[in-house]
Amino acid sequence: MATTTNNNEVDIVLVGAGIMSATLGLLLKELQPELKIEIYERLNTAAIESSDAWNNAGTGHAAYCELNYTPQKQDGSVDIVKAISICESFDNSRQFWSYLVEKGILKNPKNFINTVPHMSFVWGDKNVDFLEKRYEALQTSHFFKAMEFSKDAAQIKKWAPLVIDGRKEGEAIAATHMNLGTDVNFGALTREMFAYLQGLNGVGIHYNTDVKDLKRVGDTWTVKVNKSGASDVVKAKFVFVGAGGGSLHLLQKSDIPEIKGFGGFPVGGQWLRCTNPEIIKQHHAKVYGMAAVGAPPMSVPHLDTRTIDGKPALLFGPYAGFSTKFLKNGSYADLFTSIKGHNIGAMMQVGMDNMDLTKYLITEVIKSQDAKVESLKEYFPNANGKDWTLEIAGQRVQVIKKDKNGKGILQFGTEVVASADGSIAGLLGASPGASTTVTIMLDLIKRCFPALEKASQDKLKQMIPSYGIKLRDNETLYNELVAKTSKTLQLDF
């Protein structure tokens, strides 16, 4: 029979031991060291779900290569607004990680971040025309001035020989190349951040512990947790739900009005992983292509150089799939138990309006290994299926919400849902989440801890020197910070 221990009272509860909770916990302890923080993770260690290296692309998302961040408008022009925002956000992450390295919190940056050029690669006249327009549009921002563009097979081969060897001569192709790109092992980064947090006074981390319920009682949150059949109740002034695909269920249990109407659509993934060291040696880039019709953004195909556990790796994918689980280690009942009276209308609307996505996912699910290799050959013509093995990637939950007219829409990206009083907040959605974590958490602190944020301007600028400044409008400062963080993080510049 379950037992209940004595109640605890803390300042902050963080649910989930992923990159989001690690970043928020570190930021808050740097700003207010006396805070008492308790962290609860349902698995046996940190960063096993979405933050783990094998469960995400590891791309330091800066919009250098991701074509879905630069949509083409009806008039043929390319919209770079989102690309600028994402690039600026990733720079905040670089600044914060550099601060942590300088302070000795992160010991060796090579353990979690390495230089890997970012490329976009397309074929066919229409796609080549789009990529050239994209390049020209991005050149108007100093964030992308170092980007190179080419239609020449010989030049592209210098950047990424595998995508050219064996390709039909005379085919219309084009590529962009950005040396400032990075590969990030978010799992290693997260675990190192938690190792530091665990050694601080006032911080407790509890693994193999499920958060079962969240209730508002007076001016505090009552958080019910369970470990090995024993239940405990913790009272907290603030709760952050950073549980990946599990966040929606917990926010629904909190019963805050702001979660009403929200639902989730799960998308699984798989990688092809190269097992031939000689092939791995020949490729050093993250090469992103065009998304298939109906494909969600996290399923844009890419041929990726990775560094995982100190070893070079080469992945292709991800191949999307469908599962009713909201977490890789979740339950097949997750989707069904998330359906409530307040969100069923929006979810049904999304289902009817996204038949292309449904068709795409069904096609991906039934793809054989040979069919997956054929997709790989569009990027690596000489690929041999014997050199590749299938790996299961992480599970993502896309946000379903109502627009201003009350219509259900499928929203890609991430969204913070917070109560009006700022006492609870949670993160929903997926890519480019991990890369932009620092910006997301800074915005959350400003929203939920306004007095602390206002009183901590000097400290915030020490951690993120561009805090309060739009780098998109300050080329000199941007160049200075890129040079500084590149040196601290041991990146090429």
Side-chain angles (χ1 to χ4, degrees):
M1 183 175 178
T3 59
T4 302
T5 64
N6 293 328
N7 289 357
N8 303 306
E9 293 190 11
V10 299
D11 296 303
I12 291 162
V13 161
L14 304 177
V15 184
I19 186 66
M20 297 291 171
S21 291
T23 302
L24 181 59
L26 258 177
L27 283 168
L28 288 172
K29 284 297 281 187
E30 287 293 300
L31 297 179
Q32 194 171 340
E34 67 273 18
L35 286 173
K36 292 177 66 178
I37 301 176
E38 295 294 312
I39 303 157
Y40 297 96
E41 167 56 49
R42 61 191 290 270
L43 301 177
N44 61 8
T45 192
I48 292 182
E49 282 280 354
S50 298
S51 300
D52 185 71
W54 292 110
N55 289 341
N56 61 70
T59 302
H61 285 294
Y64 298 149
C65 57
E66 308 93 324
L67 302 181
N68 53 299
Y69 297 151
T70 50
Q72 194 162 19
K73 300 178 185 177
Q74 290 288 336
D75 64 2
S77 63
V78 176
D79 186 348
I80 64 169
V81 171
K82 188 172 184 179
I84 288 172
S85 177
I86 289 172
C87 191
E88 195 167 45
S89 292
F90 184 64
D91 200 79
N92 285 338
S93 295
R94 286 176 53 128
Q95 291 176 57
F96 183 58
W97 299 337
S98 294
Y99 166 80
L100 297 180
V101 170
E102 289 170 347
K103 196 173 178 182
I105 294 171
L106 300 176
K107 304 302 181 185
N108 179 6
K110 290 291 184 186
N111 290 338
F112 69 89
I113 189 167
N114 288 276
T115 297
V116 175
H118 285 192
M119 291 179 61
S120 300
F121 177 70
V122 300
W123 56 90
D125 292 332
K126 183 179 178 181
N127 291 339
V128 168
D129 179 65
F130 163 72
L131 190 63
E132 188 163 17
K133 287 180 178 177
R134 178 184 187 267
Y135 167 75
E136 290 168 354
L138 290 174
Q139 288 298 291
T140 63
S141 167
H142 52 265
F143 289 165
F144 306 98
K145 279 189 175 178
M147 182 178 285
E148 300 172 86
F149 172 83
S150 182
K151 300 179 189 177
D152 179 51
Q155 176 58 61
I156 298 171
K157 185 172 181 175
K158 290 178 181 177
W159 293 333
L162 296 186
V163 306
I164 298 299
D165 289 341
R167 192 167 294 278
K168 185 169 65 176
E169 194 171 341
E171 183 180 11
I173 58 174
T176 56
H177 183 271
M178 193 73 165
N179 266 325
L180 287 175
T182 53
D183 174 68
V184 185
N185 185 329
F186 289 105
L189 172 62
T190 301
R191 285 185 279 273
E192 194 167 355
M193 291 165 79
F194 273 119
Y196 173 78
L197 276 169
Q198 196 160 18
L200 297 180
N201 289 331
V203 177
I205 302 180
H206 311 271
Y207 295 110
N208 299 306
T209 305
D210 249 334
V211 174
K212 292 293 188 181
D213 205 4
L214 297 166
K215 294 295 180 191
R216 183 75 162 154
V217 180
D219 61 354
T220 61
W221 283 94
T222 298
V223 184
K224 185 178 180 181
V225 301
N226 185 282
K227 181 174 184 177
S228 303
S231 63
D232 197 1
V233 175
V234 181
K235 292 182 178 179
K237 297 172 186 174
F238 173 80
V239 176
F240 172 68
V241 183
S247 294
L248 178 61
H249 283 103
L250 286 173
L251 288 169
Q252 287 176 336
K253 288 182 177 182
S254 75
D255 207 31
I256 57 173
E258 290 79 9
I259 197 61
K260 304 300 181 186
F262 277 89
F265 184 84
V267 178
Q270 297 177 328
W271 301 106
L272 282 177
R273 178 171 66 86
C274 186
T275 57
N276 186 334
E278 294 306 311
I279 297 297
I280 296 171
K281 286 179 185 176
Q282 295 176 51
H283 187 78
H284 185 65
K286 288 181 176 289
V287 181
Y288 275 59
M290 298 288 287
V293 174
M298 85 289 292
S299 298
V300 173
H302 39 98
L303 185 63
D304 272 13
T305 293
R306 301 291 305 275
T307 300
I308 300 176
D309 300 327
K311 297 178 182 178
L314 182 60
L315 301 181
F316 179 78
Y319 299 93
F322 178 74
S323 167
T324 55
K325 290 183 178 183
F326 276 8
L327 291 162
K328 192 173 181 178
N329 296 283
S331 163
Y332 287 109
D334 286 343
L335 174 60
F336 307 107
T337 55
S338 75
I339 299 173
K340 309 294 181 185
H342 59 75
N343 66 14
I344 189 169
M347 294 180 74
M348 290 176 66
Q349 179 79 55
V350 164
M352 291 185 291
D353 290 349
N354 289 272
M355 295 306 295
D356 282 347
L357 175 59
T358 304
K359 181 180 177 182
Y360 169 80
L361 291 175
I362 292 171
T363 303
E364 288 285 285
V365 168
I366 63 176
K367 259 187 183 178
S368 65
Q369 175 90 354
D370 288 344
K372 288 180 168 68
V373 172
E374 287 305 308
S375 297
L376 165 64
K377 287 182 177 180
E378 293 182 331
Y379 289 82
F380 176 13
N382 288 337
N384 184 335
K386 294 179 181 179
D387 293 331
W388 299 79
T389 186
L390 202 61
E391 296 278 352
I392 303 300
Q395 193 77 359
R396 300 290 186 268
V397 180
Q398 298 303 314
V399 176
I400 293 175
K401 59 186 288 190
K402 294 178 181 178
D403 65 14
K404 60 183 179 182
N405 298 316
K407 179 184 176 182
I409 57 170
L410 186 63
Q411 176 177 295
F412 297 111
T414 51
E415 178 153 348
V416 173
V417 178
S419 62
D421 64 359
S423 65
I424 186 171
L427 189 79
L428 303 176
S431 182
S435 297
T436 58
T437 300
V438 174
T439 299
I440 293 169
M441 293 300 104
L442 289 171
D443 290 344
L444 185 148
I445 289 171
K446 193 171 185 177
R447 186 172 173 182
C448 298
F449 300 86
L452 177 62
E453 189 271 342
K454 189 175 182 179
S456 306
Q457 293 294 300
D458 290 344
K459 182 64 176 181
L460 285 164
K461 288 174 182 174
Q462 182 186 347
M463 294 189 291
I464 300 101
S466 69
Y467 189 76
I469 301 170
K470 286 192 177 295
L471 285 177
R472 67 189 72 179
D473 299 327
N474 195 322
E475 183 172 1
T476 301
L477 180 60
Y478 168 72
N479 289 334
E480 289 174 359
L481 290 173
V482 169
K484 181 178 183 293
T485 58
S486 294
K487 183 177 181 180
T488 304
L489 296 174
Q490 300 177 27
L491 302 172
D492 296 342
F493 176 63

